[in-house]
Short mmCIF file of all heavy atoms in Angstrom, two decimals:
data_model
loop_
_atom_site.label_atom_id
_atom_site.label_comp_id
_atom_site.label_asym_id
_atom_site.label_seq_id
_atom_site.Cartn_x
_atom_site.Cartn_y
_atom_site.Cartn_z
N THR Z 30 10.11 -64.18 55.47
CA THR Z 30 9.07 -64.32 56.56
C THR Z 30 9.70 -63.88 57.85
O THR Z 30 9.00 -63.15 58.65
CB THR Z 30 8.57 -65.84 56.71
OG1 THR Z 30 8.03 -66.21 55.45
CG2 THR Z 30 7.57 -65.93 57.80
N GLU Z 72 10.72 -42.36 72.07
CA GLU Z 72 9.69 -41.31 71.97
C GLU Z 72 8.35 -41.89 72.34
O GLU Z 72 7.58 -41.26 73.12
CB GLU Z 72 9.59 -40.75 70.52
CG GLU Z 72 8.56 -39.72 70.41
CD GLU Z 72 8.54 -39.12 68.92
OE1 GLU Z 72 9.16 -39.54 68.08
OE2 GLU Z 72 7.77 -38.15 68.80
N VAL Z 87 14.58 -42.52 79.66
CA VAL Z 87 13.87 -42.66 78.37
C VAL Z 87 14.07 -41.33 77.56
O VAL Z 87 14.46 -41.35 76.38
CB VAL Z 87 12.39 -42.95 78.59
CG1 VAL Z 87 11.61 -42.81 77.32
CG2 VAL Z 87 12.25 -44.40 79.13
N SER Z 94 19.56 -40.63 70.91
CA SER Z 94 19.35 -41.44 69.70
C SER Z 94 19.18 -40.40 68.49
O SER Z 94 19.74 -40.64 67.40
CB SER Z 94 18.10 -42.35 69.80
OG SER Z 94 18.32 -43.27 70.74
N TYR Z 96 20.49 -37.52 68.34
CA TYR Z 96 21.84 -37.02 68.09
C TYR Z 96 22.77 -37.92 67.30
O TYR Z 96 23.39 -37.52 66.32
CB TYR Z 96 22.49 -36.70 69.47
CG TYR Z 96 23.89 -36.20 69.38
CD1 TYR Z 96 24.15 -34.82 69.24
CD2 TYR Z 96 24.99 -37.07 69.48
CE1 TYR Z 96 25.44 -34.33 69.18
CE2 TYR Z 96 26.27 -36.62 69.38
CZ TYR Z 96 26.46 -35.22 69.23
OH TYR Z 96 27.74 -34.74 69.22
N PHE Z 133 25.72 -25.72 67.82
CA PHE Z 133 26.84 -25.44 67.01
C PHE Z 133 26.66 -26.02 65.59
O PHE Z 133 26.91 -25.29 64.60
CB PHE Z 133 28.10 -25.98 67.64
CG PHE Z 133 29.38 -25.84 66.82
CD1 PHE Z 133 30.02 -24.57 66.82
CD2 PHE Z 133 29.92 -26.91 66.13
CE1 PHE Z 133 31.11 -24.46 65.88
CE2 PHE Z 133 31.03 -26.72 65.35
CZ PHE Z 133 31.63 -25.49 65.27
N TYR Z 137 24.82 -21.51 60.68
CA TYR Z 137 24.93 -21.41 59.18
C TYR Z 137 26.32 -20.80 58.84
O TYR Z 137 27.04 -20.28 59.71
CB TYR Z 137 23.82 -20.54 58.71
CG TYR Z 137 22.46 -20.96 59.08
CD1 TYR Z 137 21.59 -20.04 59.56
CD2 TYR Z 137 22.06 -22.27 58.91
CE1 TYR Z 137 20.29 -20.42 59.92
CE2 TYR Z 137 20.77 -22.68 59.35
CZ TYR Z 137 19.87 -21.75 59.84
OH TYR Z 137 18.66 -22.05 60.19
N ALA Z 149 24.23 -19.55 70.02
CA ALA Z 149 25.19 -20.66 70.32
C ALA Z 149 26.28 -20.01 71.20
O ALA Z 149 26.75 -20.65 72.15
CB ALA Z 149 25.66 -21.35 69.10
N ASP Z 159 29.42 -22.08 84.04
CA ASP Z 159 28.82 -23.06 84.94
C ASP Z 159 29.72 -24.25 85.21
O ASP Z 159 29.62 -24.89 86.30
CB ASP Z 159 27.48 -23.47 84.51
CG ASP Z 159 26.44 -22.38 84.50
OD1 ASP Z 159 26.71 -21.37 85.14
OD2 ASP Z 159 25.39 -22.43 83.81
N CYS Z 169 34.88 -26.34 73.78
CA CYS Z 169 33.96 -25.15 73.84
C CYS Z 169 34.73 -23.96 73.28
O CYS Z 169 34.17 -23.18 72.53
CB CYS Z 169 33.50 -24.93 75.24
SG CYS Z 169 32.28 -26.00 75.85
N MET Z 178 34.55 -16.22 64.51
CA MET Z 178 35.17 -15.88 63.20
C MET Z 178 34.08 -15.69 62.17
O MET Z 178 34.22 -14.77 61.27
CB MET Z 178 36.16 -17.02 62.77
CG MET Z 178 36.89 -16.76 61.49
SD MET Z 178 38.06 -18.01 61.08
CE MET Z 178 36.97 -19.35 60.62
N GLU Z 186 33.13 -8.65 55.45
CA GLU Z 186 32.71 -8.68 54.12
C GLU Z 186 31.63 -7.68 53.77
O GLU Z 186 31.57 -7.17 52.65
CB GLU Z 186 32.21 -10.16 53.79
CG GLU Z 186 33.28 -11.21 53.81
CD GLU Z 186 34.33 -11.04 52.77
OE1 GLU Z 186 33.99 -10.39 51.72
OE2 GLU Z 186 35.45 -11.61 52.86
N GLU Z 213 39.31 -6.72 68.34
CA GLU Z 213 39.92 -8.00 68.16
C GLU Z 213 39.35 -8.76 66.95
O GLU Z 213 39.47 -10.00 66.87
CB GLU Z 213 39.84 -8.86 69.40
CG GLU Z 213 40.51 -8.20 70.64
CD GLU Z 213 41.95 -7.89 70.39
OE1 GLU Z 213 42.67 -8.80 69.88
OE2 GLU Z 213 42.39 -6.84 70.84
N ASN Z 214 38.78 -8.06 65.96
CA ASN Z 214 38.18 -8.75 64.84
C ASN Z 214 39.22 -9.65 64.18
O ASN Z 214 40.36 -9.24 64.00
CB ASN Z 214 37.66 -7.73 63.84
CG ASN Z 214 36.92 -8.36 62.67
OD1 ASN Z 214 37.54 -8.94 61.77
ND2 ASN Z 214 35.62 -8.31 62.72
N GLU Z 246 45.61 12.10 54.61
CA GLU Z 246 44.76 11.16 55.35
C GLU Z 246 45.25 9.75 55.08
O GLU Z 246 45.28 8.89 55.96
CB GLU Z 246 43.35 11.31 55.00
CG GLU Z 246 42.66 12.60 55.58
CD GLU Z 246 41.26 12.70 55.15
OE1 GLU Z 246 40.60 11.72 54.69
OE2 GLU Z 246 40.75 13.85 55.38
N PHE Z 263 50.85 -7.10 53.13
CA PHE Z 263 50.37 -5.95 52.34
C PHE Z 263 51.41 -4.82 52.41
O PHE Z 263 51.26 -3.79 51.79
CB PHE Z 263 49.10 -5.36 52.96
CG PHE Z 263 47.94 -6.37 52.85
CD1 PHE Z 263 47.34 -6.86 54.01
CD2 PHE Z 263 47.44 -6.87 51.64
CE1 PHE Z 263 46.25 -7.74 53.95
CE2 PHE Z 263 46.44 -7.77 51.57
CZ PHE Z 263 45.81 -8.26 52.74
N LYS Z 265 54.53 -4.36 51.28
CA LYS Z 265 55.17 -3.97 50.04
C LYS Z 265 54.36 -3.06 49.15
O LYS Z 265 54.77 -2.04 48.61
CB LYS Z 265 55.70 -5.16 49.22
CG LYS Z 265 56.47 -4.81 47.98
CD LYS Z 265 56.95 -6.18 47.31
CE LYS Z 265 57.80 -5.79 46.07
NZ LYS Z 265 58.20 -7.06 45.38
N SER Z 273 54.80 6.84 46.16
CA SER Z 273 54.21 7.58 45.10
C SER Z 273 53.39 8.84 45.64
O SER Z 273 53.47 9.89 45.02
CB SER Z 273 53.16 6.70 44.29
OG SER Z 273 53.80 5.59 43.78
N LYS Z 280 54.66 17.61 44.36
CA LYS Z 280 54.27 18.38 43.21
C LYS Z 280 53.14 19.31 43.44
O LYS Z 280 52.98 20.47 42.94
CB LYS Z 280 53.88 17.38 42.00
CG LYS Z 280 55.00 16.64 41.48
CD LYS Z 280 54.53 15.65 40.41
CE LYS Z 280 55.74 14.89 39.88
NZ LYS Z 280 55.28 13.87 38.92
#
Side-chain angles (χ1 to χ4, degrees):
T30 303
E72 180 181 8
V87 167
S94 294
Y96 178 86
F133 175 77
Y137 308 130
D159 291 345
C169 290
M178 185 175 70
E186 292 293 340
E213 300 301 318
N214 186 284
E246 289 179 13
F263 301 116
K265 185 177 180 180
S273 297
K280 291 178 181 177

